[in-house]
Amino acid sequence: MAIAAKRTPQEAKEALAQRRAKADARAKAVIEALRNAGDLRRHQAAADALEGLLARATGLRFGTLADLLAPQPWALDEDGNILGHLLTVEDVVYLAAVADDRVDGLTLGEAFSLPWVNLDEREVWTRVYADALRALADEAEGQLEAQRRREALRQLASKE
């Protein structure tokens, strides 16, 4: 009892090649969709960071520790070096960074751990960071001193 072949080896090879081509096309479509989703997430993260700055209406003020620790949108070059804050870089740099997906949300401390293209720009941000930390430390010391004076006044008042 012989079984008749339904297709020739050449037909089977062609059918397999077609299935592989279809599978490759589906895989490429899925990969492209994942890339687009990743791009969308990164653009959304930059938009969220900018929206957060606008919603807090603080702009680039760093008056609290939370402000210093909040992620900020930074423009990066092709090598991952900091070009500057997305709100302070020139329009050309801003547009190129957003278009090429070279924006990252980093705290000031994280931004300082990366190399900067322009050391004068980094100096400005280092000064902002240091001044904000000094102001926070001065405020904490002032609050401590005020509490000590209140406590001393209470002790004097309780003796009388």
Side-chain angles (χ1 to χ4, degrees):
M1 206 165 153
I3 300 177
K6 293 186 180 180
R7 45 179 132 154
T8 66
Q10 183 61 32
E11 290 172 334
K13 187 176 178 181
E14 288 173 8
L16 181 59
Q18 287 176 354
R19 283 195 303 254
R20 283 185 180 163
K22 287 178 183 176
D24 284 347
R26 284 192 307 271
K28 286 178 183 175
V30 169
I31 289 169
E32 186 61 29
L34 290 171
R35 283 188 182 132
N36 289 338
D39 290 346
L40 181 61
R41 275 194 300 277
R42 284 187 289 278
H43 289 298
Q44 187 62 49
D48 289 347
L50 291 170
E51 186 177 305
L53 289 172
L54 295 173
R56 289 193 310 263
T58 60
L60 292 175
R61 249 187 5 220
F62 298 97
T64 67
L65 186 57
D67 292 339
L68 287 175
L69 299 177
Q72 300 288 327
W74 298 94
L76 308 174
D77 70 4
E78 302 82 19
D79 298 322
N81 300 321
I82 302 285
L83 293 169
H85 193 284
L86 210 55
L87 292 179
T88 63
V89 294
E90 294 185 17
D91 290 346
V92 172
V93 173
Y94 173 89
L95 293 172
V98 170
D100 296 339
D101 193 30
R102 292 184 284 113
V103 175
D104 201 356
L106 305 167
T107 65
L108 280 169
E110 291 169 334
F112 293 144
S113 70
L114 297 173
W116 288 56
V117 172
N118 182 337
L119 291 180
D120 293 334
E121 180 77 9
R122 182 186 169 129
E123 181 181 358
V124 169
W125 284 99
T126 300
R127 197 173 323 113
V128 166
Y129 188 69
D131 290 348
L133 288 175
R134 275 188 214 96
L136 291 170
D138 291 346
E139 181 182 347
E141 289 172 350
Q143 290 170 346
L144 175 62
E145 184 60 30
Q147 186 174 357
R148 284 191 173 150
R149 289 180 181 175
R150 283 192 299 273
E151 185 60 32
L153 287 173
R154 261 188 280 242
Q155 287 176 359
L156 284 174
S158 67
K159 289 182 182 179
E160 293 178 359

